[in-house]
Amino acid sequence: MQLKVSRSLFSLTEVRTVEVQVDMGRNIDLSQLEFQFGGKSLSEWKKWTSGSSFNGNPFITIVEKPHFIGGTGIVKATLKFDLLFNRESLAERSIRTQYQQFIGSYELAMIDPRTKIKASATIQLNIYDEFLFHHELKPEIDQIFKQAYKKNNRYLKYQSLGKSVQGRDLHFVILAKSKATVDRYLNVTLPTALEQPEKLINQLDNGLVGEYQIPIWFNNIHPDEIEGPDAQVELLRKIALEDRIAVHTVQNGRKETITLNVNEILNNAIFLFMFTNNPDGRAANSRRNANGFDLNRDNHFQTQPETILVTQEIAKWTPLSFLDMHGYIGRFLIEPTTPPHNPNYEYDLLYNNMIRQARSMGEAGLGNSDFKSYVIPALDYKNGWDDMSVGYTPMYAMLHGSLGHTIEIPTLSQDGFHAMVGIGLGAVLFVNENKDQLYKNQLEIFKRGVNGEDNRSVDKYFVNASGKSIGRIRGKHTNFFPDYYVIPIGPKQQENKLEAYKMVQYLLRNGVKVEKLTKNTVVNGITYTKGTFVIPMKQSKRGVANAMLYKGDDVSDWEAMYDSTIVNLPDLRGFTVHEIRNNDAFNQNSIRIRSTALPKGFIHTKAPFHVLSNTNNDTIKLVNNLLKNGAIVEKALETRGLINKGDFIVRTKDLQNFGKNYYFIAKYLYTSIPVKTMHLKQPKVAVTGSTQLKFTVSELGFEMVKQADADVIVSDSSSILVSNLPGKVFVGIGFDTLKAVQSRGLLPGFNINYTKNGHEGLVKAIIKNHLLTSGYQTDEILFTTSGMWITSVPAGAVVLASFSNSNDFFVSGWWPGHENGKGQILALTHTLKNTTFNLFANDLAFRAHTHNSYRFIANCIFDS
């Protein structure tokens, strides 16, 4: 029998009642009627108490017992569905990992056990009404498209930006007035803005610009902060289907409603929906992607396929307004941020409008929910919520001139969903009312770049921890930005040609203009060969280029920092870049390029042997591929002639068979091998600790096995199984591992000191000439986020690296107390009781982007 229900949708975050009724006839005993939910009696449904235990009060109760309606046989009752987790917000992490198991369809049944009469209905239980699993997202988008095509002629386009790690599509939707408006923006308005911003500014000032639209980008990158994708679906639905949208807002403490005319806003805006940057995380209810990375710390490093695809699209569109939807920090928070601010933002042209847009979003968020207040860190916090890092998606967008906001709702709930929808509408309202002025400010950002202007109006926003304005740190220069960056390609000028070319590819896909020399050119006494890459800094996207290429700042005076601040890709990835301050350095000797391929190694086919320099990560991958395929690989144990200690010697025929897709620097030998060598076998490697370390070791091509079966254990974890160490090499990296080695007395005579785990810096280091440091120079710049150094080593241990003893050893970063590390030990090797300990106090694989440090790991593994 069909059970009639007054509602069929129930929520884990809202208490709801349902009236049920069915004609069961008068021949039943009402007192014996039973209810079941999902095939279980109501008594079996208990509220969550803790952990994974559900043994609290009843989840479903009968608030009106079954009774007949009048003289009929119709039975009616009322049930109450309470809060399964005993709270309206399910933001607590222990709950967020398990609530989704309860989402789905259930049978609600009324049963007469005597007559076996059963009346039932199918109902839905959801976290909030609009929540969609990832597999439901595309069908819902398709349904909105289908409805819109029947209702109006608005332009809707779906595209997949590409695939996630696990092969899921990155869903992206464009919504606009027409295809013509999109084409005009991408092919006319934006190119003019980037190349001739002053032209558009003059047209705006004189009312001659005509109709134009600017992009508003909605984003989510942490998909377990679940309202972001669902709110975007709701915003898409409203803007695609409705003619007028009611925006509930709070003005002067009172709720009021403002009506948006959709046709009018489509005259002013193009809407871009990036439902989630991390579809694998949405499918798994995880913050991280399938490789274990927090993508909201990867927008500058761009090691993961998802961030590469999304940042490329941000660069393509250069949105005016960028909203990244997050939760749940306990307060309703909308950026802009506290200082310190990254000096590559044109902050004076962003700050005031970001404050205004934040208020518009906050007021609409309050108006659309029961939240009572919101905070803006720039106004309400002193420090600790900064935008010094450009790794967050909104901060990355700010480098492109966007009003970038991280938005944190405080609750995972129906109310949180409503607030997030309101936030989106508040941004639309703000842009719609202020379009010309907002766009003019973005054009002014581009104008400064094109003109090479370092405007001092930004300086008051760049302050030290005492609140004193320090401006951009210009040193002896009058302009913070150089005239050019040069990435040389000559073998004696470029430390790592592979990483240099990868950087050029990076810049191009991030919207930066790159040129290439058409002939040899002398600048400051240096001859740059034809083909050298030149980044002219008189361009609209100079902030993107400079943020990735400049050395960084020392912000160690600040009490708190939200996350890692260092980018400096040349030092972190080990390639050479030159800063040029000469406006006419290259005259007409360069042409703009749109793409470049990566270099490949050269094989001299007539020589029987090739010596592979141990100078880049592709060579490590190649060696592992050779070993995997049974090729003979020798490692040089000494330096003699053309061969350096640590180089790899391979047969030419093997290199021809397996080396064509790798970059390597090779010298060739016609004679037998003239140095002492060790015969390499493919090492078996166990990795414990972070997913980033596992990703790095795997990316280098090493075979991964269990600890008991390994030749070498690589770890950045405090969990060390001592029973697995004998007969092995143990490579310990960073704070947790070295602290565990000391506290457990695994290496007598080994001691450490530190300020705080998380203190980070780029530091000048002195490297000892040793097989484990082969391929490195005596002077190197290394990265740490451990705030640690080694104070003593066991007798007979070999020190592999130390902090420089120079007063300027600290290059950049946030490390209060870093002066205590000056001249201290960074790394050592020592063999004790048949175990070799290779310990590094700094970080070699941090977020899989410190490419220049990977070969320390590889050297230790091959030495096993």
Side-chain angles (χ1 to χ4, degrees), residues 11-15 45-50 53-61 80-92 95 98-99 102 127 412-413:
S11 171
L12 293 172
T13 58
E14 274 193 348
V15 177
W45 285 91
K46 302 289 188 180
K47 291 185 182 182
W48 178 79
T49 48
S50 63
S53 300
F54 291 81
N55 50 21
N57 292 327
F59 166 45
I60 307 167
T61 55
K80 176 184 175 183
F81 283 69
D82 212 324
L83 300 172
L84 180 60
F85 287 90
N86 218 26
R87 63 198 65 202
E88 292 181 347
S89 172
L90 306 190
E92 184 179 319
I95 297 175
Q98 57 182 320
Y99 71 82
F102 297 103
I127 179 69
L412 193 167
S413 64

Side-chain angles (χ1 to χ4, degrees), residues 486 493 517 519-521 523 526-530 532 578 580:
V486 174
Q493 293 177 336
L517 288 185
K519 61 181 181 180
N520 292 356
T521 304
V523 179
I526 299 174
T527 300
Y528 293 106
T529 58
K530 178 182 176 180
T532 290
H578 293 169
I580 305 294

Side-chain angles (χ1 to χ4, degrees), residues 46 245 467 501 792:
K46 302 289 188 180
I245 301 173
Y501 271 79
S792 64

Side-chain angles (χ1 to χ4, degrees), residues 16 50 188 213 284 338 375 496 773 808 816:
R16 293 179 182 176
S50 63
V188 180
Q213 289 78 22
T338 69
V375 295
N496 192 324
T773 63
D808 63 348

Side-chain angles (χ1 to χ4, degrees), residues 98 135 246 327 346 471 475 522 697 764 775:
Q98 57 182 320
H135 68 270
E346 300 297 326
V522 179
V697 174
K764 294 180 181 179

